[in-house]
Amino acid sequence: MARIGLDVGAFEAVPAWVGRRLRQHVDRAADGLLAELRRGDPQIGEEEAGRARAGIAAGMRHFCDLVEDPGAGWERVAAFYLRVGRHLARDGRDPVETHQALRRSALVAWRTLGAVPGGLDLDRAALSLVVDAQFCYMDAVAEVIAAGYSAEVAERRDRREEPGRRRHGARLLRLLLAEPPADPARIAALAADARWPLPATVAAAAARPRRPGPARAPLALPDGVLADLAAPEPCLIVPDPDGRGPGLLSEALLPEALLREWTVALGPAVPVERAAGSLRWARETLALATRGVIPDGGLIRSAEHVPVLVVSRAGELIDDAAAVRLAPLLAVPPPRRERLAETLLALLEHNFNAADASRRLRVHPQTVRHRLRALKDLFGDELRDPRRCLEMELILHARMVNGDLGPASAR
């Protein structure tokens, strides 16, 4: 809800002693006006009378607060009347009731100003300042009451409709992830029932609890995120992931509380009809994180682990290829083989730039150059063949993420 302001300048122009003098007579003035109301309406009940007197007194005291402390007083006053607006909605009462109390407070204030023994010694200019401040006060308070009333009505409506929206959202999630893809017309109809604006793209996510245990309390998720964390294979759908949060697929896509309790892998952003495909990649990424092949901190994005995902689908082929492409390393003792394999991968990833590879490995560039000479002695012209280099890069990625830097035949 937008913050509702007050023209503080109108209160700064009123002498502070006016508020202090007026405050001394609040209770007596409220009692006097209440007695007048009872004479005009003998049927007024005790509850209504009590509310009327409390409203009159509160209005006068808050006006005095603002005159005495224009800078800080409004926050307290606005918070009070925001609650008043909410209570009116909860009790099924009309905001007009409070507006009447405000007008009565203004009337009492003017009567009191005129009835104070000795008067307040206000000239016409000063009285004009008080009038301006009082109108500003009444307008701002009326706006705050209306905002509180509307917010409560909207929240109560949302609470009534929330169970139905959750049911529609759960059905929509299953429909979006169906294979073969569901009829777009069915998806559009169910999305309308769930109040879920159809996005241009979605990204599916797979989740796994970080710790076993009893069912967790429901987590607040960002608007539009569909989730079924109670399913045997928990999953989520994030709408328009490229446009949420700062940057591509930002960490802000999902709340920190979720990422603390769950390992979450996010598939690529795809058109709505390909959501199931995004989920397949997310589940493969989650499986690799579960095995420790890739780090599982924060939100794991499958798009950042494409080489590992590709080679993970070709395990046996990678093993066979490793026996041939990495065969020269067989003659090297295991500790040195590991260092050379790491250096070879870093050089392949950085186009044989020793300085860049050294930063990646956190060693001196001269160390990398020394190892490169050893690799050239082992592999010869193969290091000049782009196709061979690509094969070796993929193989090394696959073997190193599994903690096995040597060729398959060396195991």
Side-chain angles (χ1 to χ4, degrees), residues 197-389:
L198 276 172
T201 61
V202 296
R208 174 181 56 81
R210 293 189 180 275
R211 292 173 297 277
R216 292 157 178 75
L219 291 167
L221 294 173
D223 289 343
V225 173
L226 304 175
D228 187 356
L229 298 178
E233 293 184 287
C235 58
L236 308 92
I237 284 185
V238 179
D240 286 325
D242 292 351
R244 299 170 75 92
L248 180 64
L249 296 183
S250 160
E251 199 85 7
L253 283 169
L254 296 171
E256 290 183 8
L258 176 70
L259 300 178
R260 280 196 303 269
E261 296 187 17
W262 298 78
T263 301
V264 182
L266 189 74
V270 296
V272 172
E273 63 272 14
R274 290 172 48 203
S278 179
L279 182 60
R280 284 196 299 273
W281 284 112
R283 284 176 172 161
E284 291 196 30
T285 305
L286 182 62
L288 292 174
T290 302
R291 287 163 45 200
V293 172
I294 57 178
D296 70 349
L299 181 60
I300 309 165
R301 304 167 181 85
S302 61
E304 294 180 357
H305 301 282
V306 171
V308 181
L309 286 165
V310 170
V311 298
S312 70
R313 288 190 165 188
E316 185 176 347
L317 178 61
I318 289 292
D319 284 346
D320 293 340
V324 176
R325 298 290 172 240
L326 301 185
L329 289 173
L330 277 173
V332 180
R336 186 164 180 251
R337 179 194 305 158
E338 180 175 340
R339 290 193 297 272
L340 288 176
E342 289 176 338
T343 303
L344 178 57
L345 178 58
L347 286 165
L348 290 167
E349 289 178 332
H350 293 89
N351 198 26
F352 288 93
N353 184 305
D356 291 343
S358 69
R359 283 191 288 272
R360 158 76 181 276
L361 297 170
R362 297 183 181 179
V363 298
H364 194 278
Q366 192 58 38
T367 301
V368 173
R369 294 186 184 99
H370 175 73
R371 293 178 187 174
L372 176 56
R373 285 194 293 272
L375 289 166
K376 286 179 178 178
D377 290 341
L378 289 170
F379 288 93
D381 290 341
E382 288 197 356
L383 295 185
R384 297 188 181 92
D385 186 334
R387 291 174 58 190
R388 292 287 183 262
C389 287

Side-chain angles (χ1 to χ4, degrees), residues 94 183 277 324 406:
D94 195 318
D183 178 12
V324 176

Side-chain angles (χ1 to χ4, degrees), residues 125-179:
L127 285 173
S128 176
L129 294 174
V130 174
V131 171
D132 289 343
Q134 200 161 53
F135 276 117
C136 289
Y137 166 73
M138 291 176 64
D139 288 345
V141 166
E143 192 175 349
V144 171
I145 292 171
Y149 188 93
S150 298
E152 183 67 24
V153 169
E155 288 176 17
R156 289 166 70 88
R157 182 189 63 242
D158 288 344
R159 286 195 292 270
R160 287 195 303 271
E161 296 176 355
E162 181 61 24
R165 280 206 302 272
R166 280 201 303 268
R167 288 194 300 272
H168 291 312
R171 288 175 55 202
L172 178 61
L173 178 66
R174 292 193 293 272
L175 198 62
L176 289 168
L177 298 175
E179 291 191 278

